[in-house]
Amino acid sequence: MAYALFNFIFLIIFLLPLCTFSQNNGTITVGTSIVATERSTPWLSPSGDFAFGFKKLRSNDMFQLAIWYDKIPNKTVVWYPNVTNPISRDSTVGIDAQNGLVLRDPQGRLLWSTIDIDDDVSHGFLNDTGNFVLVRSDSVSIWDSFNYPSDTLLPTQIIAINGTLVSRKSETNFSRGRFYLRMLNEGNLVLNTRSVPTNSDFDDEYYNSQTSDPANDSNSGYQLVFNERGSLYVLRRNGERTDLTTKRSIPTTSDHYYRAILDFDGVFRTYYYPRSSSGDQEWTVAEYWPQNICMEIDGQKGSGACGYNSVCRLENGKPICQCPLGFYLSEPNDPFSDCNPKFIPICGEDDQKGSAEDVYEMSEVSDTDWPFSDFEQLAPFTESDCKNACLNDCLCAVSIYRNNSCWKKKLPLSNGRLDTAINAKAFFKFRKGNIPVQGSNFPTPEKKKKDQGTLILVGSVLLGSSLFVNFMFVGAACLGFFLIYNKKITNIRPVHDTGVVNLRCFTYKELAQATDGFKEELGRGAFGIVYKGVMPTGSNSTIAVKKLDRVAQDTEKEFKTEVSVIGQTHHKNLVRLLGFCEEGPHRMLVYEYMNNGTLASFLFGDLKPNWNRRIQIALGIARGLAYLHEECSTQIIHCDIKPQNILLDEYFNARISDFGLAKLLMMNQSRTLTNIRGTKGYVAPEWFRNTQVTAKVDVYSFGVLLLEIITCRKSLIDLEFGEGENPILTDWVWDCFQDGTLDTLVKNDTEALNDKKRLETFVMVGIWCIQEDSSLRPTMRKVSQMLEGTLEVNIPPCPSPFA
Ligand SMILES: *[C@@H]1O[C@H](CO)[C@@H](O)[C@H](O)[C@H]1NC(C)=O
Ligand SMILES: *[C@@H]1O[C@H](CO)[C@@H](O)[C@H](O)[C@H]1NC(C)=O
Ligand SMILES: *[C@@H]1O[C@H](CO)[C@@H](O)[C@H](O)[C@H]1NC(C)=O
Ligand SMILES: *[C@@H]1O[C@H](CO)[C@@H](O)[C@H](O)[C@H]1NC(C)=O
Ligand SMILES: *[C@@H]1O[C@H](CO)[C@@H](O)[C@H](O)[C@H]1NC(C)=O
Ligand SMILES: *[C@@H]1O[C@H](CO)[C@@H](O)[C@H](O)[C@H]1NC(C)=O
Ligand SMILES: *[C@@H]1O[C@H](CO)[C@@H](O)[C@H](O)[C@H]1NC(C)=O
Ligand SMILES: *[C@@H]1O[C@H](CO)[C@@H](O)[C@H](O)[C@H]1NC(C)=O
């Protein structure tokens, strides 16, 4: 024993430094991995110029898997994998022989891997060029990061036909941005915008290298090359090169690092940085394309270089976005987001009251233009006529006066820009007085189109039908309009009526006050933290506020849908949802508060609950689940049944919580290994197989839970198991059932020992539920009937016949 220990210490002391040393030649052996923490050591290239590992994000407690320039104080990121979400603490990246690079979250779920490879990996290698290569046993490269660029090119890297760079969301946010660089099949290098996240078609180009030759394909471009001296050129098939960089822009003295990046502002720039820098240096821009992005993005689709209604001006080659007076940023921390108007000009009843002068005033700005969004041009016209024309037109938001012409424009305005060359004046309409902000949900072009479509449809139907039908139709339309209108208001204003039946919409502030600044934590789950609070108004009853931390922003619509599905459930064995909050990044659910905590603390605490109470709890859970599976208008599969998710009310009734959240928080319904839900010890085996996942997964978890309720023992390997007990609960129960020694399951529990018939029934139902073959498991309806004794239970087969 002592000798073994000595050996172990010897290994640690002498071999560990050797291992670290061997990694410094750039080779990373299969089986090596890095954990996402501040202290983890990245993999370095032989020269130490580049590192591969986890980089801590500044904004939150998340990490980004990346390759970066390690000797530069800012650790400039040059590559990151195509995963949408930032990575949470304690995730790991490693190399395995079959999948190459594999990124997993702290629970071991696959987030990303280099799946395109066919051969077994011998080792990884971080080249001094910054290229991460996976190598076969015969030293042939089978995957490299240069072939999967993110937004950056490094010297010696090329973009082949159909290759793409995608900008990031902001300097520090690595989510996908709006700008794309592509090498097209016909030989042009182009820059486009594309609206996220709809992934629609590309909008018009704002840069084109003009390197295709439709007449003779062998003169067309086929590669964008960034060479070792920081020059950028398009290589044509005939071997000619068309330089994008002009030679003078690149320093020839001393040694430099280089990079070319499609920046988050849409400009494609080359940069250099002296290798022998004292440390407080920054990257210097060598050249950039296009020369003036504010002017060059001028397609009819999309918002332009900045967001809708914003105005773009160029400073040192960089676009600066600014909201005009009377508008505010829809995302306060992102200057590139849309500018929302403080009021929306509409031709409604409201505007008929009094003259336009009483309600509005006009403000004036020079040299600003929005080339599109006009609905009327008036010429010849004077400046003051132009101003008044907009003032008196209820549709008009802005008018532009230039060269004796007047253009009336409506929202949203796109491609706004400051341009001294055009000598234009813009007049903005304002609402007088202190009119409150009408809301942050400015109608997007798509929304508008839809509304118009509805109107046109209504119009044409009206024209084509008889008087009586019309009469009926108008009545119905009014009712419909009333309903739709009601719903719209909900979308626009943070009102307290939600449009979702029986649910209340809370503001963030209300809930912060209700929970005294989120002070008292009731528990932490897979989806977020739960806080205790008091109902903001009225009843003074206690509530539980669940702060969701995993809802993606672009799932806003689904959030409402799912919340309303949850809100429509009413059963005495479910925790009741009272309301929700959906404000900015905040998503919260408000539930009734349960006095007696979780079943987990009840079952595994010091005072074991009595047998009859346990029976009632098991029955309650079974009924609640049967309701979720069979009686709701939309079937709800819970996916995470475990004692931590069962709460007990003041009468110790079982109440299922967190139902509907699995769907809400993981909208991606494709069931793959990457998003196994549930909790270890309770998840059904089909999560790991390529078979359909159905409500039967809950039956499996319920089976495990039932056995826990019977035995008061945890299903996961329990360190406190007694002499001769199998450490795996389900195996132990099966052994006892086969040996006819059910008594050992409830040792010292006289009530249960005196209730042998029911004990046997419950154990048999539990074993039916945990059948590995999901088709053998009964439905929850049948389970509750068997537990109640209204349906006979047959002898169950072995739950895992293949084990
Ligand atoms: C790096 O070191 C490992 C272990 O010492 C060795 O097997 C490998 O050949 C080395 N690679 C290079 C490129 O020198
Ligand atoms: C890079 O470093 C410089 C100087 O230390 C600092 O001013 C600058 O803000 C940093 N840039 C980023 C993007 O972190
Ligand atoms: C990134 O991933 C998305 C979806 O996972 C895919 O549609 C897209 O083509 C990928 N982009 C690149 C550049 O590989
Ligand atoms: C690094 O990459 C360059 C360019 O692909 C290649 O020529 C060189 O051999 C690589 N270095 C090593 C040590 O593999
Ligand atoms: C590029 O993509 C297009 C369309 O998907 C395809 O037709 C073409 O063959 C691709 N070109 C190359 C060189 O891969
Ligand atoms: C990055 O931007 C995306 C898209 O706007 C947003 O959903 C995400 O929360 C941002 N991430 C961080 C860390 O700010
Ligand atoms: C196409 O261009 C190549 C090289 O410039 C030339 O050799 C060839 O004759 C041209 N082919 C045609 C059909 O013009
Ligand atoms: C001004 O408008 C006139 C006609 O209305 C046109 O001929 C002239 O070219 C315009 N000037 C400028 C600078 O746009």
Side-chain angles (χ1 to χ4, degrees), residues 210-263:
Q210 310 285 1
T211 44
S212 84
D213 183 349
N216 187 342
D217 198 40
S218 62
N219 296 332
S220 288
Y222 83 113
Q223 276 183 352
L224 171 68
V225 181
F226 191 45
N227 76 7
E228 51 288 323
R229 282 183 306 282
S231 296
L232 204 55
Y233 57 88
V234 173
L235 191 63
R236 295 175 188 261
R237 290 182 200 276
N238 60 17
E240 270 176 37
R241 50 186 265 189
T242 302
D243 285 308
L244 302 182
T245 42
T246 54
K247 292 192 179 61
R248 64 185 158 71
S249 66
I250 307 159
T252 47
T253 54
S254 80
D255 208 4
H256 289 84
Y257 294 123
Y258 301 100
R259 66 190 169 110
I261 171 172
L262 179 60
D263 271 318

Side-chain angles (χ1 to χ4, degrees), residues 375-428:
F375 63 94
E376 196 170 16
Q377 184 185 357
L378 306 159
F381 234 55
T382 67
E383 203 178 298
S384 70
D385 285 347
C386 187
K387 193 163 147 183
N388 286 328
C390 188
L391 179 67
N392 290 303
D393 184 339
C394 60
L395 273 179
C396 180
V398 173
S399 61
I400 306 278
Y401 182 72
R402 165 159 81 99
N403 189 17
N404 296 329
S405 269
C406 181
W407 285 267
K408 288 204 272 186
K409 299 185 188 266
K410 56 186 175 184
L411 302 178
L413 305 164
S414 64
N415 301 74
R417 57 188 65 166
L418 201 68
D419 186 356
T420 48
I422 57 172
N423 193 20
K425 257 186 191 156
F427 301 101
F428 280 92

Side-chain angles (χ1 to χ4, degrees), residues 601-602 604-608:
S601 53
F602 187 65
F604 311 127
D606 292 331
L607 290 168
K608 300 266 182 275

Side-chain angles (χ1 to χ4, degrees), residues 505-787:
C505 174
F506 295 90
T507 64
Y508 180 80
K509 212 170 132 206
E510 277 177 308
L511 291 183
Q513 274 167 1
T515 55
D516 198 2
F518 304 103
K519 205 155 116 203
E520 190 178 343
E521 232 181 77
L522 288 173
R524 272 163 194 264
F527 304 124
I529 305 175
V530 186
Y531 299 90
K532 191 172 175 178
V534 176
M535 193 67 151
T537 51
S539 58
N540 250 4
S541 52
T542 316
I543 52 173
V545 177
K546 182 171 218 118
K547 234 177 160 176
L548 303 176
D549 53 18
R550 295 230 307 259
V551 187
Q553 293 239 303
D554 55 346
T555 54
E556 199 176 305
K557 214 168 84 207
E558 287 94 324
F559 183 80
K560 273 248 174 64
T561 316
E562 291 310 321
V563 163
S564 75
V565 169
I566 299 173
Q568 281 161 21
T569 56
H570 295 288
H571 190 274
K572 68 175 197 298
N573 295 111
L574 300 179
V575 177
R576 178 91 180 274
L577 182 70
L578 301 173
F580 63 95
C581 163
E582 184 192 20
E583 190 178 298
H586 306 292
R587 300 284 181 278
M588 289 184 254
L589 297 175
V590 179
Y591 290 101
E592 49 180 350
Y593 175 72
M594 293 291 124
N595 287 18
N596 282 313
T598 69
L599 178 60
S601 53
F602 187 65
L603 216 49
F604 311 127
D606 292 331
L607 290 168
K608 300 266 182 275
N610 75 40
W611 175 244
N612 280 325
R613 191 149 268 169
R614 268 147 59 209
I615 289 172
Q616 290 312 315
I617 288 171
L619 279 170
I621 303 168
R623 288 177 190 138
L625 274 176
Y627 170 85
L628 286 178
H629 288 174
E630 291 176 38
E631 286 161 34
C632 293
S633 49
T634 319
Q635 183 188 48
I636 297 178
I637 303 179
H638 190 295
C639 296
D640 200 12
I641 287 291
K642 58 179 175 182
Q644 288 79 7
N645 282 337
I646 310 295
L647 302 179
L648 300 172
D649 67 15
E650 52 188 321
Y651 310 109
F652 289 95
N653 288 319
R655 305 280 217 104
I656 302 171
S657 79
D658 277 8
F659 53 91
L661 293 194
K663 181 138 180 252
L664 174 59
L665 298 179
M666 281 161 270
M667 295 304 177
N668 181 1
Q669 288 297 292
S670 73
R671 178 201 41 75
T672 60
L673 244 189
T674 52
N675 55 15
I676 288 182
R677 301 177 195 144
T679 304
K680 218 168 126 198
Y682 302 91
V683 290
E686 58 263 36
W687 283 118
F688 302 98
R689 300 206 191 106
N690 218 11
T691 50
Q692 188 65 35
V693 163
T694 63
K696 292 289 181 71
V697 299
D698 286 348
V699 180
Y700 184 93
S701 309
F702 174 79
V704 178
L705 182 58
L706 180 60
L707 299 180
E708 287 183 318
I709 293 173
I710 294 168
T711 59
C712 289
R713 227 196 75 179
K714 290 181 188 162
S715 100
L716 281 179
I717 297 177
D718 193 338
L719 290 177
E720 285 174 17
F721 59 93
E723 191 88 29
E725 291 182 21
N726 193 318
I728 299 170
L729 176 65
T730 50
D731 294 357
W732 181 48
V733 170
W734 172 247
D735 292 345
C736 293
F737 178 71
Q738 260 192 321
D739 302 341
T741 55
L742 288 186
D743 286 1
T744 55
L745 294 176
V746 288
K747 251 188 300 193
N748 308 332
D749 191 343
T750 41
E751 268 179 289
L753 288 169
N754 291 334
D755 197 2
K756 282 231 175 82
K757 184 83 191 76
R758 190 179 326 242
L759 174 65
E760 197 189 0
T761 308
F762 271 42
V763 168
M764 287 200 297
V765 172
I767 293 171
W768 274 114
C769 290
I770 58 168
Q771 290 296 318
E772 211 168 301
D773 179 353
S774 65
S775 66
L776 292 179
R777 292 175 215 149
T779 62
M780 279 318 296
R781 168 75 43 228
K782 287 215 167 114
V783 168
S784 63
Q785 286 167 349
M786 289 191 281
L787 293 180

